């Protein structure tokens, strides 16, 4: 009996949680004039999507988001790998102090330094550039920390053996450490991609032209250009367009996604 | 011999620092330097009327403490944390306990709970804006349907924070569920087996075994949730702009307004400094409270 009630309650909760998405999907495919009514006719249309695609430069926004996400990820991989290797495998002067300094970023992330970081980018003349959106995230304390944990578990003997074979340090990294840490790279990659795909406030502050705006900022501008309920169908279609790639990726790679959040969170 | 050793040690040092250099450059540029700049600038008057920053001691801090809106924003943020953190944590724990045991539809259940995490806050805000809108919105329809008056969720000072809390709990609970799922999987099955041999009731098992062993997870999630309650502001840009009458404004949004709407840089720096102190305090709790209680196995 108790089992049944729990089952029911948790399924109701799941439906409640799904409701906003289902409603958005439903509305996005409804004819404009039907969007704000609740009659359950089976009229569906692609018009909203076509209209949205033609009335705002979403293709450009997609491209921008893609470039920003990929750029951040590639640079983070390089900087975090090098730093993690140094912290995990080398004994050097100032290591502990430096590590603590790196961890400060976990407590004071760039997200809240919007104002001083804006000043830094202005001094570098990088306002309204994609590079400006990406740069504050190029070094990731989180990535360094995750990779350092994995690198530490890789036995030193393997590295010695590779060195005996005549591998240079970067070959050791490339052929030994990186392949062995692959699950961590996947985990960190998924977290980083979803984070930067969704990031909003910082790109909003730093960009003011179509060429550099990511999807989130483009969506916000598009949504705010409407004032009446009549255009809901279009705003919802635009919203669905923005969330769809990541949502599909999530559904396809559900297991990896969930695991990556588990691993990245627990370490 | 000694010279060779010193040379080798010099080489390792140089090599390590070179590997760290790329990360350090960006950390200095976008974490340390900005923090120092913030502290310095918070003692200057720097607004549209004073393009050249003018030293004014602790005037910004005095002004901030006398600013009613500042106290409102801080109160809002604390209230927001007080409701979002425990609520989303309790829900997350329930979700995890259930998703861990359920036999049929496990994937569906987990997906349903977790998917809000991967949506951009700005997209979630668009959807929820429509849910909360009077007359046309989904909530209004539901209220009408059960014969209640509709409410102006986002236009009413007393309701707007509740509306934000509900949305953020929806967005975050599934994320915290993941940590609880991981925590549950780390509990050894033998404990449950011996509990069932002893004939312990489910509630007793939860109280005596599951919950205590999830304590480290709970502390960890609490830290993340509290930190998040100060960082999540994207939805305010779309949904309320901090209004009506600052009823839904939060600290980071107030910083954003001072820096990029009022262009009062001195005050923006002062407020940012307050934010840094708050986050460091949360980190201190983590350091002193959590490290001792967590036992790594």
């Amino acid at each position: 009996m108790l089992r049944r009630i729990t089952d029911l309650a948790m399924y109701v909760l799941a439906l409640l949680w799904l409701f906003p998405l289902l409603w958005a999907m439903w509305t996005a495919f409804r004819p404009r004039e039907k969007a704000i009514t609740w009659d359950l006719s089976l009229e569906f249309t692609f018009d909203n999507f076509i209209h949205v695609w033609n009335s705002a430069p979403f293709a450009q926004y997609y491209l921008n988001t893609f470039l920003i996400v990929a750029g951040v990820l590639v640079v983070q991989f390089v900087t975090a790998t090098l730093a993690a290797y140094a912290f995990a495998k080398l004994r050097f002067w100032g290591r502990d102090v430096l590590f603590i300094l790196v961890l400060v970023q976990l407590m004071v992330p760039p997200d809240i330094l919007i104002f001083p970081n804006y000043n830094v980018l202005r001094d570098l003349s990088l306002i309204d550039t994609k590079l400006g959106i990406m740069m504050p995230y190029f070094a990731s304390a989180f990535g360094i920390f995750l990779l350092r944990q994995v690198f530490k578990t890789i036995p030193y003997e393997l590295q010695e053996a590779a060195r005996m074979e005549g591998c240079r340090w970067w070959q050791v990294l490339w052929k030994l450490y990186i392949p062995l840490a692959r699950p961590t790279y996947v985990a960190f990659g998924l977290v980083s991609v979803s984070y930067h795909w969704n990031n909003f406030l910082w790109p909003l502050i730093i960009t003011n032209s179509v060429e550099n705006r990511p999807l989130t900022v483009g969506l916000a501008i598009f949504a705010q250009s409407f004032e009446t309920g009549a255009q809901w169908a279009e705003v919802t279609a635009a919203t669905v367009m923005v969330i769809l790639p990541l949502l599909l990726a999530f559904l396809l790679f559900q297991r990896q996604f969930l695991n990556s959040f588990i691993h990245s969170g627990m370490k | 011999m000694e010279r060779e050793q010193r040379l080798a040690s010099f080489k390792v040092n140089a090599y390590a620092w070179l590997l760290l250099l790329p990360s350090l450059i960006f950390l200095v540029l976008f974490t340390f330097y900005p923090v120092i700049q913030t502290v310095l600038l918070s003692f200057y008057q720097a607004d549209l009327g004073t393009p050249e920053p003018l030293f004014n001691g602790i005037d910004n801090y005095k002004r901030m403490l006398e600013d009613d809106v500042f106290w409102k924003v801080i109160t809002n943020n604390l209230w927001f944390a007080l409701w979002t953190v425990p609520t989303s944590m309790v829900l997350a724990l329930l979700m995890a306990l259930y998703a861990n045991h359920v036999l049929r539809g496990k994937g569906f259940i987990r997906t349903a709970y977790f998917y809000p995490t991967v949506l951009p806050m700005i997209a979630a805000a668009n959807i929820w804006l429509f849910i909360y809108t009077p007359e046309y919105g989904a909530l209004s329809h539901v209220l009408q349907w059960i014969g209640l008056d509709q409410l102006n969720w986002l236009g009413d000072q007393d309701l707007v924070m509740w509306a934000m809390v509900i949305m953020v709990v929806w967005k975050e609970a599934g994320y915290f569920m993941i940590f609880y799922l991981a925590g549950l999987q780390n509990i050894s099955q033998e404990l449950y087996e011996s509990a069932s041999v002893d004939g312990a009731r489910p509630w007793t098992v939860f109280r005596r075994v599951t919950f205590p062993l999830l304590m480290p997870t709970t502390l960890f999630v609490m830290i993340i949730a509290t930190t998040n309650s100060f960082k999540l502001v994207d939805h305010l840009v779309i949904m309320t702009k901090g209004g009506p009458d600052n009823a839904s404004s939060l600290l980071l949004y107030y910083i954003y307004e001072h820096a990029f709407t009022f262009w009062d840089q001195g005050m923006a720096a002062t407020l940012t400094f307050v934010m840094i102190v708050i986050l460091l305090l949360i980190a201190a709790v983590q350091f002193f409270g959590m490290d001792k209680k967590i036992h790594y196995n």
Side-chain angles (χ1 to χ4, degrees), chain B residues 130-237:
Chain B
F130 297 161
I131 291 180
Y132 286 136
T133 304
E135 290 178 59
Y136 320 113
L139 256 181
S140 297
H141 278 286
V142 173
L143 289 178
Q144 252 167 23
W145 195 50
I146 53 177
L148 291 172
D149 284 340
Q150 43 174 301
L151 298 164
N152 186 0
W153 286 87
L154 301 179
D156 186 322
Q157 290 198 39
D158 297 326
L159 284 178
V160 67
M161 277 302 271
W162 288 108
M164 297 297 128
V165 167
I166 292 170
M167 189 193 80
V168 167
V169 167
W170 168 82
K171 183 92 169 61
E172 295 237 284
Y175 179 49
F176 303 144
M177 167 191 78
I178 293 296
F179 301 118
Y180 276 121
L181 272 176
L184 285 171
Q185 275 157 21
N186 281 336
I187 300 177
S188 120
Q189 281 303 313
E190 286 162 28
L191 284 171
Y192 289 112
E193 276 156 25
S194 62
S196 84
V197 168
D198 292 344
R201 302 171 64 95
W203 172 242
T204 316
V205 175
F206 175 78
R207 223 164 33 106
R208 290 286 171 78
V209 180
T210 313
F211 192 69
L213 287 175
L214 283 178
M215 218 39 211
T217 315
T218 302
L219 278 165
F220 175 81
V221 171
M222 195 175 77
I223 299 291
I224 300 191
T226 315
T227 314
N228 276 0
S229 69
F230 285 90
K231 286 198 311 202
L232 297 173
V233 293
D234 293 0
H235 55 291
L236 296 179
V237 177

Side-chain angles (χ1 to χ4, degrees), chain B residues 215-288:
Chain B
M215 218 39 211
T217 315
T218 302
L219 278 165
F220 175 81
V221 171
M222 195 175 77
I223 299 291
I224 300 191
T226 315
T227 314
N228 276 0
S229 69
F230 285 90
K231 286 198 311 202
L232 297 173
V233 293
D234 293 0
H235 55 291
L236 296 179
V237 177
I238 284 276
M239 296 175 88
T240 65
K241 301 236 183 288
D245 194 23
N246 297 306
S248 67
S249 190
L250 300 175
L251 184 54
L252 186 53
Y253 190 77
Y254 200 48
I255 293 174
Y256 164 75
E257 278 190 318
H258 270 282
F260 303 106
T261 310
F262 315 145
W263 293 101
D264 187 345
Q265 303 190 43
M267 192 47 102
T270 310
L271 292 166
T272 304
F273 180 69
V274 171
M275 181 69 128
I276 294 170
V277 169
I278 290 174
L279 291 182
L280 287 179
L281 279 176
I282 298 174
V285 171
Q286 174 173 29
F287 187 75
F288 293 113

Side-chain angles (χ1 to χ4, degrees), chain A residues 147-197:
Chain A
L147 288 173
R148 169 182 167 268
Q149 297 291 93
V150 190
F151 288 171
K152 272 187 137 177
T153 64
I154 297 171
Y156 204 74
E157 289 76 39
L158 280 175
Q159 176 175 356
E160 286 298 291
R163 290 307 280 263
M164 298 288 264
E165 300 281 323
C167 282
R168 304 291 305 265
W169 67 270
W170 47 270
Q171 286 173 314
V172 173
L173 257 184
W174 187 251
K175 290 189 177 154
L176 187 68
Y177 283 87
I178 293 175
L180 284 173
R182 214 163 106 193
T184 307
Y185 280 99
V186 172
F188 176 66
L190 285 170
V191 172
S192 170
V193 165
S194 58
Y195 187 86
H196 291 285
W197 186 283

Side-chain angles (χ1 to χ4, degrees), chain A residues 7 10 17 93 101 254 265, chain B residues 13 32 98 111 113 115 170 220:
Chain A
D7 270 359
M10 295 316 279
W17 247 240
W93 181 81
L101 285 180
Q254 215 197 93
Chain B
N13 269 305
F32 300 117
Y98 189 69
T111 305
Y113 295 156
Y115 85 93
W170 168 82
F220 175 81

Side-chain angles (χ1 to χ4, degrees), chain A residues 69 71-81 105-106 137-148 150 181-196 256-257 259-265 267:
Chain A
V69 167
V72 170
L73 189 66
V74 169
V75 179
Q76 278 180 341
F77 270 3
V78 175
T79 56
T81 303
Q105 198 205 28
L106 288 180
Y137 300 96
F138 275 171
S140 164
F142 178 57
I144 294 173
F145 187 67
L146 274 184
L147 288 173
R148 169 182 167 268
V150 190
R182 214 163 106 193
T184 307
Y185 280 99
V186 172
F188 176 66
L190 285 170
V191 172
S192 170
V193 165
S194 58
Y195 187 86
H196 291 285
Q256 284 92 325
F257 246 99
N259 284 342
S260 75
F261 278 82
I262 290 177
H263 290 306
S264 58
K267 282 175 186 166

Side-chain angles (χ1 to χ4, degrees), chain A:
Chain A
M1 187 60 192
L2 189 69
R3 180 106 251 174
R4 285 270 171 82
I5 296 172
T6 323
D7 270 359
L8 186 70
M10 295 316 279
Y11 271 95
V12 168
L13 191 68
L15 289 177
L16 269 178
W17 247 240
L18 277 174
F19 173 77
L21 180 69
L22 297 179
W23 195 48
M25 291 289 183
W26 171 267
T27 311
F29 289 100
R30 297 290 278 168
R32 269 180 80 155
E33 60 287 354
K34 291 271 163 99
I36 53 171
T37 64
W38 271 40
D39 49 349
L40 295 171
S41 66
L42 286 175
E43 288 167 67
F44 296 103
T45 170
F46 274 107
D47 285 357
N48 302 318
F49 288 93
I50 296 165
H51 190 245
V52 167
W53 191 263
N54 290 330
S55 58
F58 272 98
Q60 176 82 51
Y61 296 154
Y62 266 111
L63 180 70
N64 295 343
T65 290
F66 181 79
L67 289 174
I68 290 163
V69 167
V72 170
L73 189 66
V74 169
V75 179
Q76 278 180 341
F77 270 3
V78 175
T79 56
T81 303
L82 297 180
Y85 177 75
F87 280 127
K89 292 292 165 180
L90 299 172
R91 298 184 135 271
F92 56 93
W93 181 81
R95 185 178 69 171
D96 296 335
V97 176
L98 268 188
F99 191 62
I100 291 171
L101 285 180
V102 167
L103 292 185
V104 167
Q105 198 205 28
L106 288 180
M107 302 157 204
V108 187
D111 308 2
I112 62 145
L113 297 172
I114 46 173
F115 163 65
N117 278 345
Y118 178 87
N119 287 343
V120 171
L121 283 171
R122 193 192 48 205
D123 294 345
L124 294 172
S125 306
L126 285 172
I127 302 289
D128 198 24
T129 59
K130 288 187 203 67
L131 191 62
I133 302 176
M134 297 189 268
M135 258 171 104
Y137 300 96
F138 275 171
S140 164
F142 178 57
I144 294 173
F145 187 67
L146 274 184
L147 288 173
R148 169 182 167 268
Q149 297 291 93
V150 190
F151 288 171
K152 272 187 137 177
T153 64
I154 297 171
Y156 204 74
E157 289 76 39
L158 280 175
Q159 176 175 356
E160 286 298 291
R163 290 307 280 263
M164 298 288 264
E165 300 281 323
C167 282
R168 304 291 305 265
W169 67 270
W170 47 270
Q171 286 173 314
V172 173
L173 257 184
W174 187 251
K175 290 189 177 154
L176 187 68
Y177 283 87
I178 293 175
L180 284 173
R182 214 163 106 193
T184 307
Y185 280 99
V186 172
F188 176 66
L190 285 170
V191 172
S192 170
V193 165
S194 58
Y195 187 86
H196 291 285
W197 186 283
N198 295 341
N199 202 5
F200 170 72
L201 194 63
W202 174 246
L204 171 76
I205 290 163
I206 216 75
T207 57
N208 44 40
S209 68
V210 167
E211 287 74 44
N212 297 309
R213 251 177 227 146
L215 273 171
T216 45
V217 179
L219 173 66
I221 289 172
F222 182 80
Q224 299 207 310
S225 61
F226 290 112
E227 269 154 19
T228 64
Q231 286 116 337
W232 273 14
E234 276 146 32
V235 176
T236 316
T239 308
V240 167
M241 262 168 46
V242 170
I243 65 177
L244 213 54
L246 214 54
L247 206 58
L248 284 179
F250 167 63
L251 291 175
L252 281 175
F253 303 106
Q254 215 197 93
R255 189 178 283 271
Q256 284 92 325
F257 246 99
L258 296 180
N259 284 342
S260 75
F261 278 82
I262 290 177
H263 290 306
S264 58
M266 291 321 284
K267 282 175 186 166

